[in-house]
Amino acid sequence: VQPPEKPLQAEEWNKLRENFQSPEIFEEVMLNSMIRCDSPIDVAKSLLTHLAKRNGDIAYNVLVKYLTLCVQQGQVSEICDVYDIMKVRFKILESGAYNLLIKGLSNSDQWRMALTLLEEVKKMMIPSRTCYESCIKAASRHQEMKLAFELYDEMLAKDVVPTLDVLQSFFDCSRGMKDAELQKELFGILLYLRENQIYPHKTFMRSIKLWFESIPGGKWRGHLTNIKNSGQCPVCNHQLEDSNLTEEEYSNLSERIIRDVIHGTDTFRKTSPQEFEAFQTFVENRLPFDIVIDGLNVSHIKPRKMQCENLFDAVNCLAKENARLLVLGRKHMLINSSNWKREIMKEMQNKADFFFAENISEDDAFLLYATLRSGKHCKFVTRDFLRDHKACLPDSLTRHLFRKWQRGHQIVLKKKSFSSVFSQQPAFRYDCVVQTTGDTWHIPYKDVFEEKYSYQVPRKWLCIQQK
Amino acid sequence: MQSANMLLRKIVRSSVLPFAAQHGMKKDLFPLSRTLSLSLCLKQDKSCEPSEKLDLDEWKKVMKTGLQEEVSETVSEPKELSSLAAARETLEMWRLAGRAVPENISEEQLKTFMECPSKSAKKKYLKYLHLKELHKKNDKRKMDEKRERKLEAQDQASKMDETKNSSFICMWSSTMNKAYNWRAAQSMIFGQPLVFDMSYEKEMSVREVANTVRQIALSESCNRRSVDPFHIHFCNFKDDSLYHTEFIKQYREAWGKLLITVTDQCYTEIFPKDKLIYLTADSPKVMKTFDHDKIYIVGSMVDKSIKTGVSLARAKRLGLETAAFPLEKYLLWSTGAKNLTLDQVMHILLTLKDTADWKKALEFVPKRKYCGFVNKPVNELKKTLDLINTFKLGKGREEVRKQFPKSYPKKYKLK
């Protein structure tokens, strides 16, 4: 339906309604299309008047729709009127109406009323993040930074995750202010990004850069750059943080992987206790390895080649400088078949240690265990992203640790066409996370549509240094 | 006149937005005052079309005047609401806002609702209740209609006053039941055992347990009706378990009279180990024929969040033989998980037992999950299917031919 352009009389509305195929929902459909077309508010009002005259009442959902229209057009006094009516009419409101009211009021001079409304919501439920977002933005727009940060802290305490928009608004609104307290809070936000491994997008990055450069007397300078593979920043020659985990993180992660990934709810699901024990003694007797290879994964790199040939190439390619290799496979690889030739397998077993798991066991879990047990220098080879193993870890902190460790220790073999040479995508040497040394900040950022997978990390950086 | 107006409007549709902007701007020139009474007269003369006398804010007046009595009522009410009442209140508002919320909700359901850990869990639970309510209403409506039709038919029949002659005795369901029960009783002495493993309660949510029990009840009924029923065993069945309460809800007093064996013992204690076969979709072994001397075990578990390898792990732990239905071999699988519901498994096993015909047995696999039965080698069929898909996508013939060797490497990792 196309909404009318001018307010209509009751009879005209009636006529329209009769022509509509299902008159019961006519008002709803009409208001929806008014919202879509951003119709003048008077038209909606005339519809409401017609409704009120006919029924002596207006249903809640119609009121909410009207409210949506008012909020969309920023009709503040109307919003207030609707709120007054709703408040008397209904004992409590539901979250949708509150969201709208807060959003509408926070954009106006009445923004303090949005705060009182937020208090009202808190009595009943945890406010949504859009509620907090509107209030925080309103407060920081009016330079009430202290209030904004109070709301922000409250939001975090309630486990409501802030949007990047809110974080950005803090930087936008504090530009040029000289206030030590405020500066500390904003550094706190940057550390929040660090702890949760969040990468700001390009516009957010720009806000951060502008804020830094605007601090009076701060003498901060920002540059956009790409970090070298060695982990050195080309602008300030600063070496970025190592991707290695700390001792504590490392032992924590290995413990979690054994407990949650390998054993999980039932050791029998991925392996069996006997097999795992056998594997453990096997690994302990031969420690440490330099590279652990997922044999089956590597053997599928080139589909046209025999699987054992693929594996053979990979082992040859990695067996340089006396590196100690461990290849994990399954027992079916030992049976002579078209894909697995016994002679080649024998030859390989001279170059590397092999462990063959049962055909129904999961070899990935063994891969993780052997690599972690070998120590920090040990890398592993697989094209698998290991998402399902990451998912077995119970909390986000450990999952982050896992990703970080994986970035630093996974080697991915890539095939080069028509030759037997593999190219390797090296493991990351530096940690891709917001970091600081006090007088420098390095902030990775992403272009909006890039790096959308959890294993990908941004390659672009913002380098900020104090002169 | 009106229709002509509409037509005109459609023609100038593209100009609606600029018009709206203009209109809005014009209105902003008259700042709306907070008090309703003042803004009323202001707008009355200015913002309306001159020919029409339309009070745009009249609805506010209506809404407010209609309220006077109610307001006085609400004031006298105690302000503090108990958490239950508050939740009920919120639900009511959600219903008014047009969300999927049930009209009536019991105390117990309300408590479950409040215990939901997250907003989305709450939403899901409410939607479930809402749909359940709708189904119930529809069923009731249909029942009523049916009853009416029946009454009408009876009226007509009495008018006709016609007596039917039949050489058969009318078999009422009670008679049928007696016959079925007789067969089931026989199966308890001579029948082939079939085990339901009731040890998965910890892996399931309350709703999944309820679904499991429902599926088992269906399996039990179709077993009872079959020509040669299994002797059903519920093993690892604990008396204080959720299974038990759900079974009592399902069967009521009939629970005590079921012709099945219920025990808290494990199947390994009752039967020789070498005769047991655990049926699980994760098994690496594929079932070739139905063996009349073996005892098949079915895990009583509904896993909506697919938990791979749970029942295989159990069989591994006890060192039992496992088997999976040869779904891949006989069906060209399209979508859906390979785990079937318990009643489907029961149907398949019963058919196998009677006929040993896989094709007939696998008719009970839901049609949406497969494209058809395999009459040629599976690889060829897959090729034709892919060909059809490629043509649908509109790729050239050459491209298709080129793609063949590429898309069929033996790159499936052995699981």
Side-chain angles (χ1 to χ4, degrees), chain A residues 221-316:
Chain A
R221 271 291 143 262
H223 296 278
L224 305 187
T225 177
N226 291 312
I227 302 290
K228 294 178 198 161
N229 273 346
S230 63
Q232 206 180 34
C233 171
V235 180
C236 61
N237 292 325
H238 176 71
Q239 183 70 29
L240 290 195
E241 270 176 55
D242 209 85
S243 69
N244 280 335
L245 307 186
T246 64
E247 283 304 329
E248 199 193 337
E249 286 172 332
Y250 196 83
S251 65
N252 200 346
L253 181 66
S254 351
E255 222 169 84
R256 286 299 184 81
I257 292 228
I258 293 173
R259 201 185 68 199
D260 298 320
V261 178
I262 298 177
H263 293 304
T265 50
D266 187 352
T267 316
F268 282 95
R269 278 177 74 171
K270 284 184 176 158
T271 163
S272 68
Q274 296 91 326
E275 192 185 25
F276 186 60
E277 212 171 286
F279 178 68
Q280 266 180 316
T281 45
F282 172 88
V283 171
E284 299 300 325
N285 288 335
R286 288 170 173 77
L287 279 178
F289 298 102
D290 297 317
I291 298 174
V292 184
I293 302 166
D294 183 347
L296 276 172
N297 188 291
V298 166
S299 71
H300 291 285
I301 283 187
K302 287 184 186 171
R304 299 238 195 140
K305 266 196 166 180
M306 222 192 296
Q307 288 173 10
C308 65
E309 259 186 298
N310 273 330
L311 184 58
F312 189 66
D313 288 348
V315 168
N316 278 340

Side-chain angles (χ1 to χ4, degrees), chain A residues 351-409:
Chain A
K351 295 191 175 173
D353 280 311
F354 272 73
F355 183 85
F356 297 100
E358 292 294 331
N359 291 342
I360 52 170
S361 295
E362 282 221 26
D363 48 1
D364 288 350
F366 292 151
L367 176 86
L368 296 178
Y369 178 77
T371 318
L372 282 166
R373 276 296 296 146
S374 294
K376 283 180 178 179
H377 73 288
C378 183
K379 307 265 196 290
F380 63 97
V381 182
T382 177
R383 285 189 299 174
D384 200 308
F385 293 123
L386 306 174
R387 293 189 191 95
D388 45 346
H389 303 295
K390 190 189 82 164
C392 290
L393 296 169
D395 59 300
S396 65
L397 198 73
T398 330
R399 284 200 287 265
H400 282 318
L401 277 186
F402 181 77
R403 271 282 178 253
K404 184 176 168 186
W405 174 75
Q406 190 191 357
R407 276 201 298 272
H409 293 81

Side-chain angles (χ1 to χ4, degrees), chain A residues 128-134 136-137 152 155-156 160-171 189 192-193 198-201 204:
Chain A
S128 68
R129 74 178 190 176
T130 45
C131 284
Y132 273 116
E133 190 177 335
S134 317
I136 291 177
K137 274 187 179 169
Y152 170 70
M155 184 175 182
L156 290 186
V160 182
V161 182
T163 54
L164 288 186
D165 250 22
V166 171
L167 301 182
Q168 188 181 349
S169 77
F170 279 123
F171 285 94
I189 291 180
Y192 173 82
L193 295 180
I198 299 167
Y199 308 116
H201 48 76
F204 185 6

Side-chain angles (χ1 to χ4, degrees), chain A residues 40 44 62 98 120 185 191 195 215 218 250 259 279 298 303 334 378:
Chain A
V62 175
Y98 275 125
E120 206 171 299
E185 293 278 13
L191 293 177
E195 259 142 49
I215 300 174
Y250 196 83
R259 201 185 68 199
F279 178 68
V298 166
L334 285 171
C378 183

Side-chain angles (χ1 to χ4, degrees), chain B residues 63-80:
Chain B
M63 291 296 280
K64 295 217 155 177
T65 48
L67 279 174
Q68 286 324 82
E69 315 93 67
E70 277 179 50
V71 173
S72 54
E73 274 169 38
T74 46
V75 167
S76 63
E77 250 177 70
K79 268 263 167 180
E80 295 291 305

Side-chain angles (χ1 to χ4, degrees), chain B residues 169-291:
Chain B
I169 309 159
C170 182
M171 290 280 269
W172 295 108
S173 57
S174 62
T175 332
M176 293 300 285
N177 273 341
K178 259 182 213 159
Y180 290 144
N181 282 340
W182 178 243
R183 254 191 233 149
Q186 271 187 318
S187 83
M188 282 191 74
I189 309 171
F190 305 111
Q192 181 180 3
L194 178 76
V195 176
F196 282 95
D197 180 1
M198 308 295 231
S199 54
Y200 293 102
E201 200 176 292
K202 270 188 222 140
E203 328 276 347
M204 290 189 282
S205 66
V206 179
R207 242 170 92 190
E208 283 171 335
V209 173
N211 289 344
T212 309
V213 166
R214 173 106 193 99
Q215 288 180 13
I216 292 179
L218 285 172
S219 334
E220 189 271 328
S221 84
C222 85
N223 180 56
R224 195 172 358 133
R225 275 153 223 269
S226 74
V227 188
D228 181 16
F230 284 106
H231 176 194
I232 294 180
H233 286 71
F234 289 174
C235 288
N236 294 323
F237 189 92
K238 302 277 177 301
D239 266 343
D240 52 349
S241 62
L242 205 55
Y243 278 122
H244 194 194
T245 41
E246 285 294 329
F247 268 119
I248 288 172
K249 250 191 223 167
Q250 180 77 33
Y251 280 106
R252 301 222 177 83
E253 54 274 18
W255 169 243
K257 293 180 212 156
L258 281 182
L259 293 169
I260 55 175
T261 304
V262 180
T263 167
D264 61 348
Q265 280 180 303
C266 185
Y267 27 87
T268 46
E269 294 166 38
I270 309 175
F271 304 106
K273 253 190 181 180
D274 54 326
K275 285 208 160 189
L276 292 170
I277 294 181
Y278 211 116
L279 291 175
T280 160
D282 297 320
S283 170
K285 285 189 197 115
V286 172
M287 195 169 159
K288 286 211 177 76
T289 49
F290 181 85
D291 194 333

